[in-house]
């Protein structure tokens, strides 16, 4: 007989896309690494059928809904993913007792580190523990991915997979391929542009381009696929020179999709002028972060700061979602 739990704390990592951005939405592979900045979620059972959230990092204070109100559309942004997930969870695994949820993030939701997917995954894992529902990684993925699609409408789910599996993974949507890559020591430099990008808008802009120029854009995706395959081998061989060159090629293909920005280009150029092996934007583009591979990381970091970027000292290949405590 399993002991009955009343409180569970879980955590899930943020992520950075290394290769395959945008193409992954259309079924091509990407490579994503989990980073050592996490979101913690504490879920406490309550004996009434309510859903309460405290999320101070995103300005949510004592938000409460009854089970019957969970489907309502007027959900504030800071709780939308949690509420969508809880609704889907209850559909699959009906319960009479509710939850009180507190989230705490080690990073700003502005960085593009995947705070929505990390919080969704951490909450999903906590619910499974608390209500003693056994889901494997793929089942947890599909539950979380459904929630993200319900809120966001678009997305490959690479960020959810990264939050679940952790490490560095080669991924195809919707978790049809998830292959952990042994690439622990990636010499990564990360620069934040200071600009918050809107993933949905950028994904839709690429979709529109694809509608207007289907063959041209498909050809870009195919080139991205080719270099992502090569990057998978280069990363596992710890051949940073080749991986870096592939990053730079990936960046010029992303520029053809018109998703880069002046600020991203400035930081990428600064990295390249300071002997980075290669550099590119990470994620949707338009802002958020760029990544580079470099032997002399401190030199590249100084150059990014000089260009007005904020250096993010994060470690790649962090562990995936985990239970931190239960009582
Ligand atoms: O901007 P982010 O970190 O949410 O990354 C978006 C990556 C895309 O490939 C553009 C979209 C997706 O869901 O894969």
């Amino acid at each position: 007989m399993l002991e009955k739990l009343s409180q569970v704390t879980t955590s899930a990592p943020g992520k950075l896309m290394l290769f395959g951005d945008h193409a992954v939405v259309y079924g091509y592979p990407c490579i994503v690494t989990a980073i050592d900045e996490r979101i913690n979620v504490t879920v406490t059972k309550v004996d009434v059928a309510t859903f309460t959230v405290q999320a101070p990092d995103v300005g949510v204070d004592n938000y409460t809904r009854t089970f019957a109100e969970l489907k309502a559309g007027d959900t504030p942004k800071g709780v939308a993913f949690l509420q969508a997930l809880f609704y889907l969870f209850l559909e699959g695994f009906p319960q009479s007792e509710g939850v009180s949820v507190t989230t705490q993030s080690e990073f700003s939701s502005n960085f593009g580190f995947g705070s929505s997917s990390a919080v969704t995954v951490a909450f999903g894992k906590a619910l499974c523990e608390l209500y003693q529902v056994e889901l494997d990684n793929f089942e947890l993925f599909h539950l979380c991915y459904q929630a993200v699609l319900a809120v966001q409408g678009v997305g490959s789910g690479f960020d959810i997979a990264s939050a679940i599996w952790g490490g560095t993974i080669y991924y195809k949507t919707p978790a049809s391929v998830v292959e952990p890559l042994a690439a622990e020591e990636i010499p990564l430099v990360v620069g934040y542009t200071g600009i918050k990008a809107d993933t949905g808008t950028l994904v839709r802009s690429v979709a529109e381009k694809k509608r207007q120029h289907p063959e041209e854009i498909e050809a870009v995706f195919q080139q991205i696929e080719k270099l992502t395959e090569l990057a998978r081998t280069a990363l596992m061989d710890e051949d940073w020179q080749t991986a870096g060159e592939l990053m730079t090629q990936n960046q010029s293909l992303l520029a053809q999709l018109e998703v880069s920005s002046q600020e991203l280009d400035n930081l990428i150029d600064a990295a390249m002028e300071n002997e980075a092996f290669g550099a590119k934007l990470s994620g949707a583009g338009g802002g958020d972060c760029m990544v580079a591979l470099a032997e002399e990381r401190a030199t590249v970091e100084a150059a990014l700061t000089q260009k007005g970027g904020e250096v993010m000292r994060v470690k790649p290949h962090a562990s995936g979602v985990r239970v931190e405590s239960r009582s």
Side-chain angles (χ1 to χ4, degrees):
M1 181 74 188
L2 289 165
E3 63 171 322
K4 238 181 148 197
L5 296 173
S6 60
Q7 189 178 74
V8 173
T9 298
T10 54
S11 74
K15 56 78 195 144
L16 284 164
M17 177 94 90
L18 301 181
F19 295 94
D21 327 52
H22 284 285
V24 65
V25 175
Y26 298 88
Y28 297 98
C30 77
I31 296 174
V32 52
T33 193
I35 56 171
D36 64 340
E37 301 263 324
R38 306 181 75 84
I39 291 194
N40 297 290
V41 174
T42 296
V43 186
T44 309
K45 238 187 222 171
V46 296
D47 53 16
V48 281
T50 57
F51 166 72
T52 302
V53 181
Q54 314 281 352
D57 303 309
V58 286
V60 175
D61 180 27
N62 219 9
Y63 171 90
T64 302
R65 290 289 179 273
T66 64
F67 281 13
E69 291 166 339
L70 287 176
K71 211 175 173 192
D74 62 336
T75 322
K77 217 173 155 231
V79 291
F81 291 91
L82 297 173
Q83 184 163 323
L85 183 79
F86 194 49
Y87 178 80
L88 289 165
F89 183 85
L90 289 178
E91 260 194 347
F93 313 100
Q95 309 289 337
S96 53
E97 293 168 302
V99 288
S100 173
V101 187
T102 304
T103 67
Q104 184 265 326
S105 180
E106 293 173 359
F107 59 88
S108 159
S109 60
N110 290 338
F111 297 160
F113 284 171
S115 55
S116 308
S117 44
V119 83
T120 307
V121 165
F123 183 42
K125 181 78 178 172
L127 287 175
C128 291
E129 285 289 309
L130 203 57
Y131 292 112
Q132 291 166 348
V133 169
E134 267 186 45
L135 298 185
D136 66 20
N137 277 357
F138 287 96
E139 291 165 328
L140 180 61
F141 172 88
H142 286 291
L143 176 68
C144 296
Y145 188 39
Q146 259 185 291
V148 168
L149 287 181
V151 177
Q152 215 168 256
V154 289
S156 66
F158 79 103
D159 41 5
I160 298 164
S162 177
I164 293 175
W165 274 269
T168 304
I169 56 172
Y170 170 95
Y171 172 88
K172 285 188 190 177
T173 191
S176 60
V177 179
V178 181
E179 187 190 313
L181 305 181
E184 267 129 69
E185 304 296 333
I186 304 171
L188 198 65
V189 177
V190 183
Y192 175 52
T193 57
I195 293 161
K196 169 96 193 97
D198 183 40
T199 303
T201 306
L202 286 150
V203 169
R204 279 186 284 274
S205 83
V206 173
E208 180 52 25
K209 237 177 221 80
K210 191 166 179 298
R211 202 185 60 75
Q212 287 176 9
H213 310 282
E215 280 161 30
E216 206 180 297
I217 301 300
E218 206 60 58
V220 171
F221 289 159
Q222 282 167 11
Q223 291 176 68
I224 293 177
E225 175 184 37
K226 229 182 247 158
L227 68 83
T228 302
E229 297 297 345
L230 294 172
R232 170 209 213 171
T233 308
L235 289 176
M236 288 204 288
D237 291 348
E238 302 195 348
D239 178 354
W240 311 127
Q241 177 75 46
T242 302
E245 283 162 14
L246 292 164
M247 262 189 183
T248 304
Q249 287 173 28
N250 197 161
Q251 172 62 19
S252 56
L253 292 162
L254 288 162
Q256 287 181 37
L257 299 177
E258 295 180 56
V259 293
S260 199
S261 70
Q262 193 56 57
E263 293 79 4
L264 281 164
D265 291 349
N266 289 346
L267 298 185
I268 290 165
D269 292 347
M272 296 311 292
E273 283 156 18
N274 285 274
E275 289 173 28
F277 295 126
K280 63 181 274 295
L281 65 85
S282 175
D288 290 347
C289 288
M290 51 69 72
V291 289
L293 298 183
E295 184 93 71
E296 296 296 332
R297 273 181 268 183
T299 313
V300 174
E301 287 175 355
L304 297 182
T305 310
Q306 229 229 328
K307 279 279 151 76
E310 191 181 335
V311 172
M312 302 275 126
R313 289 219 168 74
V314 295
K315 271 211 197 108
H317 212 76
S319 51
V321 67
R322 63 182 182 224
V323 175
E324 299 290 350
S325 67
R326 35 164 98 72
S327 57

